[in-house]
Amino acid sequence: MADIEVPVFIVGGSLVGLSAALLLGHHGIGSLVVEHHRGTAIHPRAAQTSQRTMEICRQVGLEQIVRQKSEEQFVQDGGVLAVETLVGGPIAHYIADLNEGVRDVSPTVRVFLSQDALEPQLRKRAEELGAELRFATEMVSFEQDAHGVTAVIRDRDSGKTQTVRAQYMVAADGAHSRVRERLRIRMKGHGTFSKSITIYFRAHLAPLIEGHKWAVVYVLNRQLSGFFRFEKPFEKAFLGVFTVGNPENPVMDVSTGLTDQRSLELVRMAIGTDRLPITIENIMHWEASADMAEQLHDGRVFLAGDAAHTMPPNGGFGGNVGVQDAHNLAWKLALVLQGRAGPGLLSTYEPERRPPGAFTVEQAYSRYVLRTAPHLSRDGLQPVAPDLNIEMGYIYHSDAIVSEDPNDSRVHENPRESKGRPGTRAPHVWLQRHGEQISTLDLFGRNFTLLAGPEGDAWTEAAYDASRRVGIDLDVHKIGENGLTDPSGGFPAAYGITATGTVLVRPDGFVAWRANTANGALPERITRVLATVLCRLG
Ligand SMILES: Cc1cc2nc3c(=O)[nH]c(=O)nc-3n(C[C@H](O)[C@H](O)[C@H](O)COP(=O)(O)OP(=O)(O)OC[C@H]3O[C@@H](n4cnc5c(N)ncnc54)[C@H](O)[C@@H]3O)c2cc1C
């Protein structure tokens, strides 16, 4: 018998492992997380947090604290631009205002909040929801069989080892995932293209930055290619350096043999003056790569986050995609563990998460090449798609979706165009509940949700019956009932249905199925749909 028994064992307690624990907790599933480090992130690393990640934070009660921490740390709505040197000023603008033109699609906004500030919030909430987190603990080995996974973990301080038995394991152990290696899952893509560094430094930057809405500033000159990220009150920042030397023919290994003196020179070259006193605080070494794991799922083990895909930081996508992996997986694990869905539901993780993962890797790579690496070939480079499509417009095709067009294999689109089509994120529409403004998104998150138009009574009645037959909790809402109103009258059109139609939304906020009108509004129809998307048929 194992020392510890737990439904889900998570390897890695950084951004994605903590998110997985939190989201499993949200669905009432216990987990054990082991993390090699002694605590949450000490380096800022990821900061750009997409609207989709913020919607997930909103679902688990973290949106307000994340926004508050972001306001303390960063200029809101900051831009992304390029300079030759900071002193020289902008030579290109990629994004003038982080939230320009995207506020209508979501009840929340994009923010910057660095990983060292976000992770403690994820940790706190995960623990509140029942996850057990063990820091300074590593997973040493694991085996899986038909019923579960047995792993050996070791406390790094005492050296004591224990065995863990779990029904499922999530590998959130980062780009160099030992779990992935052990499963012999290969990475495929562009490989590693630079040994990069991040230099954390202090300097009185306010005179150069204050008054500008600059969050991420790319630097491209004859000496280096990289990017700055600035925090309020502009007394400290980091400079990420991808390559040094002439960008047309650069040195790709910035990391080997790097001294503090050289780091100081690099910061000075990027700022463009020798006169500013600068203190180097810390240096982080990392590899820029763009690869996708050939498999995301092996038996009872699932890869998530950087273990599943690596990408350069250009675009600020890596951490966000990892959070979406965890979000996709958590409710599926919960329903299968609770015996409410067939195990086939877990097999939908791969077909749902691989295409958006691979697409995002290519999009980050395209941004890397176009913004910072003129020496790399542009042949075959995927054209840059709008950030919004990448963050919110990814589309799922799997057995957990009742597709309306089996020939549709699109991976992304503008989320404004999805209009509630099955496989896409359920659109945001402002509604009112007992006079209080809420988003349609606030109705989703824990269970499957059936949301009917103002004349969709036939569907809501059928839904109550179907949920009893299938034995799952189904949240049922109708516009105009129980204090729920649609002041703009925009709900049916936003979801591509008529007033008598309905939509079935999964716990991750993706549309599973919809009916345009009241035709066929019988319990049998919804029972069949639920059994299909829960993979209980066959
Ligand atoms: C400079 C920089 C800027 C970035 N900016 C952004 C951004 O703005 N937005 C964005 O979305 N992303 C950004 N990223 C990417 C983002 O940081 C990563 O995608 C994210 O950290 C991935 O999280 P993860 O949990 O999957 O992996 P990691 O953060 O790598 O965590 C893996 C964890 O697993 C632990 N671990 C590994 N093996 C074991 C084991 N056997 N036992 C126990 N523990 C183990 C490790 O200690 C580690 O803490 C940036 C990255 C860099 C380098």
Side-chain angles (χ1 to χ4, degrees):
M1 190 165 151
D3 299 312
I4 305 163
E5 294 201 358
V6 68
V8 182
F9 175 50
I10 300 170
V11 187
S14 179
L15 187 61
V16 175
L18 291 172
S19 299
L22 190 166
L23 292 161
L24 283 164
H26 176 70
H27 290 291
I29 298 296
S31 63
L32 169 69
V33 182
V34 292
E35 168 51 52
H36 171 87
H37 292 124
R38 296 186 186 286
T40 49
I42 51 167
H43 294 304
R45 289 165 81 203
Q48 193 167 330
T49 309
S50 71
Q51 273 171 308
R52 187 63 191 144
T53 299
M54 289 301 286
E55 288 175 359
I56 295 168
C57 286
R58 184 176 170 104
Q59 230 174 49
V60 296
L62 283 182
E63 185 198 0
Q64 287 316 320
I65 185 76
V66 169
R67 287 179 77 155
Q68 180 198 318
K69 295 277 170 198
S70 167
E71 271 172 36
E72 287 165 18
Q73 201 180 24
F74 285 99
V75 172
Q76 297 302 287
D77 304 326
V80 180
L81 59 140
V83 299
E84 266 181 32
T85 64
L86 200 57
V87 168
I91 52 169
H93 286 274
Y94 302 118
I95 299 174
D97 168 332
L98 195 63
N99 285 297
E100 194 177 332
V102 300
R103 288 181 188 273
D104 60 307
V105 295
S106 175
T108 186
V109 290
R110 292 171 175 158
V111 299
F112 281 98
L113 180 63
S114 60
Q115 224 166 305
D116 55 344
L118 175 59
E119 286 187 14
Q121 302 304 327
L122 299 175
R123 172 185 182 167
K124 183 164 169 269
R125 192 80 186 106
E127 285 178 327
E128 281 166 10
L129 293 170
E132 183 183 348
L133 311 181
R134 293 203 190 178
F135 289 89
T137 304
E138 56 190 4
M139 199 271 299
V140 181
S141 64
F142 73 94
E143 298 291 337
Q144 59 171 327
D145 54 51
H147 305 288
V149 179
T150 304
V152 177
I153 62 172
R154 187 172 68 87
D155 181 309
R156 286 177 60 210
D157 294 324
S158 67
K160 187 179 156 203
T161 59
Q162 286 185 299
T163 51
V164 179
R165 178 73 180 166
Q167 276 141 292
Y168 295 99
M169 181 163 106
V170 178
D173 53 344
H176 302 288
S177 168
R178 296 220 310 260
V179 174
R180 189 184 66 219
E181 252 173 49
R182 159 86 177 67
L183 294 171
R184 297 182 193 281
I185 298 175
R186 288 179 310 174
M187 297 296 273
K188 208 171 161 194
H190 301 277
T192 299
F193 33 86
S194 83
K195 288 194 167 182
S196 303
I197 51 162
T198 309
I199 307 167
Y200 298 93
F201 66 94
R202 283 195 167 273
H204 183 54
L205 296 161
L208 290 169
I209 308 295
E210 223 159 30
H212 297 296
K213 277 189 163 187
W214 295 352
V216 176
V217 177
Y218 284 93
V219 183
L220 192 62
N221 60 37
R222 305 289 294 172
Q223 281 103 19
L224 67 91
S225 134
F227 67 106
F228 282 112
R229 207 167 61 207
F230 301 109
E231 283 181 29
K232 291 198 299 195
F234 314 116
E235 293 296 330
K236 63 177 184 175
F238 80 53
L239 174 69
V241 185
F242 295 123
T243 60
V244 287
N246 179 353
E248 304 289 342
N249 183 22
V251 175
M252 263 86 81
D253 183 353
V254 191
S255 166
T256 309
L258 185 80
T259 60
D260 277 3
Q261 181 56 32
R262 177 69 178 146
S263 304
L264 187 62
E265 283 166 20
L266 291 171
V267 175
R268 287 211 170 115
M269 287 171 194
I271 295 180
T273 174
D274 290 344
R275 283 195 223 126
L276 197 67
I278 293 164
T279 311
I280 303 295
E281 290 208 309
N282 211 329
I283 295 162
M284 189 184 136
H285 299 255
W286 51 281
E287 290 180 352
S289 60
D291 289 314
M292 182 78 205
E294 285 192 324
Q295 223 177 302
L296 300 185
H297 169 204
D298 181 315
R300 292 179 166 259
V301 183
F302 298 86
L303 305 185
D306 279 15
H309 32 65
T310 63
M311 60 198 82
N314 311 68
F317 302 131
N320 289 297
V321 183
V323 172
Q324 288 153 19
D325 291 340
H327 192 234
N328 182 286
L329 190 54
W331 70 273
K332 295 177 179 175
L333 283 169
L335 284 176
V336 171
L337 282 162
Q338 290 157 355
R340 294 184 177 159
L345 183 61
L346 293 171
S347 301
T348 65
Y349 176 67
E350 171 113 21
E352 291 192 356
R353 291 306 303 159
R354 161 179 286 286
F359 167 60
T360 311
V361 167
E362 290 305 323
Q363 286 295 312
Y365 183 69
S366 293
R367 283 161 175 73
Y368 175 79
V369 173
L370 296 173
R371 292 179 184 174
T372 64
H375 64 289
L376 289 175
S377 168
R378 294 172 186 208
D379 288 349
L381 203 62
Q382 202 177 81
V384 169
D387 287 7
L388 192 62
N389 295 28
I390 300 164
E391 294 170 0
M392 309 263 275
Y394 48 97
I395 303 169
Y396 291 158
H397 307 276
S398 81
D399 291 345
I401 303 288
V402 182
S403 171
E404 291 177 358
D405 177 3
N407 297 319
D408 182 3
S409 57
R410 276 175 297 170
V411 175
H412 70 98
E413 67 185 342
N414 183 324
R416 294 183 189 90
E417 286 160 16
S418 65
K419 302 273 186 248
R421 204 174 65 253
T424 63
R425 164 187 158 278
H428 152 68
V429 178
W430 286 121
L431 302 176
Q432 289 206 347
R433 189 161 50 188
H434 302 298
E436 198 184 306
Q437 189 180 56
I438 64 160
S439 165
T440 40
L441 272 55
D442 297 328
L443 301 171
F444 318 137
R446 209 170 288 277
N447 302 313
F448 273 83
T449 304
L450 184 125
L451 181 53
E455 293 161 33
D457 307 69
W459 285 115
T460 53
E461 279 159 32
Y464 289 120
D465 201 348
S467 95
R468 270 191 302 276
R469 293 186 194 192
V470 180
I472 64 157
D473 295 325
L474 182 63
D475 294 336
V476 180
H477 303 281
K478 184 178 84 80
I479 303 295
E481 210 167 71
N482 296 327
L484 189 67
T485 58
D486 174 18
S488 73
F491 164 72
Y495 278 73
I497 58 172
T498 65
T500 61
T502 193
V503 60
L504 181 72
V505 180
R506 311 191 314 185
D508 61 354
F510 272 68
V511 177
W513 164 83
R514 71 180 168 181
N516 190 25
T517 66
N519 263 352
L522 295 169
E524 292 73 21
R525 176 91 183 273
I526 301 177
T527 304
R528 176 103 193 145
V529 165
L530 284 170
T532 302
V533 298
L534 290 168
C535 300
R536 280 168 45 166
L537 299 175

